[in-house]
Amino acid sequence: KQEVTQIPAALSVPEGENLVLNCSFTDSAIYNLQWFRQDPGKGLTSLLLIQSSQREQTSGRLNASLDKSSGRSTLYIAASQPGDSATYLCAVCHTNAGKSTFGDGTTLTVKP
Amino acid sequence: KAGVTQTPRYLIKTRGQQVTLSCSPISGHRSVSWYQQTPGQGLQFLFEYFSETQRNKGNFPGRFSGRQFSNSRSEMNVSTLELGDSALYLCASSLEGNYEQYFGPGTRLTVT
């Protein structure tokens, strides 16, 4: 059974800092890994998708890496802004279907 | 292109009643997945439909059921509601092959 863990559970940083969020998974036979952002009471916004054959993906100030052999992914946020404050979720899809296992998320607060 | 839509956005029901939630996927997406999100359990996979067939199912009791129509729209039904069914119900759609999941805004169900 796939288990996904995200560390830390919460993180508070001053504006402008670079930061790293971690995601680990127990079964390395994954199809893809996706990072999401969720604002309070809202749905999930897709940030980055990494297919199992890829090592990293970049979008603006965000960079996500994937190391299947060690069961790890990181989300790097450069030059953080108060608008980045949200919960970040990592989801692992381990079959070629729309079924993902989610971590519990990291709640990020960026202070002005 | 329109995103994933879910109706209704909010629902209040009484224990023992049943409820039906609706999800319209992004045009061209044939995979529709449903998730339950609660503060205690996080995001948990309910089921996935593809081409009108349930392809994957999570560990939820038989009170939770769903279906998909020929236009890929999906409904989920919960019968004999319990207080513990209070949650945010999220629907996601994805394209076959890539399975990048796009989420709707969710339906907030409160059972009293």
Side-chain angles (χ1 to χ4, degrees), chain A residues 15-106:
Chain A
E15 182 176 3
E17 270 204 8
N18 302 324
L19 56 103
V20 174
L21 308 182
N22 297 291
C23 171
S24 61
F25 46 94
T26 53
D27 184 349
S28 62
I30 69 170
Y31 190 78
N32 67 41
L33 185 145
Q34 201 167 352
W35 282 93
F36 294 91
R37 166 189 174 133
Q38 185 175 33
D39 293 290
K42 302 291 178 68
L44 277 62
T45 300
S46 178
L47 297 173
L48 290 165
L49 171 77
I50 310 177
Q51 299 289 0
S52 63
S53 60
Q54 298 173 320
R55 296 281 293 185
E56 67 177 329
Q57 283 287 346
T58 298
S59 176
R61 294 183 293 110
L62 305 179
N63 175 276
S65 68
L66 174 64
D67 183 344
K68 279 199 314 179
S69 60
S70 66
R72 290 172 151 183
S73 176
T74 61
L75 178 67
Y76 175 82
I77 302 177
S80 58
Q81 302 170 358
D84 294 331
S85 297
T87 296
Y88 290 81
L89 293 149
C90 156
V92 173
C93 178
H94 58 92
T95 62
N96 56 342
K99 174 185 177 184
S100 291
T101 302
F102 280 79
D104 288 336
T106 294

Side-chain angles (χ1 to χ4, degrees), chain B residues 10-65:
Chain B
Y10 303 92
L11 264 179
I12 300 175
K13 291 286 188 179
T14 304
R15 266 184 309 176
Q17 289 186 315
Q18 75 164 23
V19 67
T20 300
L21 313 182
S22 180
C23 171
S24 293
I26 291 172
S27 178
H29 288 193
R30 293 195 293 164
S31 168
V32 175
S33 304
W34 289 89
Y35 294 85
Q36 180 196 64
Q37 186 176 33
T38 59
Q41 300 295 319
L43 264 157
Q44 293 187 289
F45 173 78
L46 280 156
F47 30 66
E48 182 218 8
Y49 284 86
F50 182 83
S51 292
E52 302 180 65
T53 301
Q54 186 181 87
R55 186 161 64 172
N56 286 286
K57 188 176 189 305
N59 295 323
F60 279 81
R63 300 185 297 106
F64 292 81
S65 63

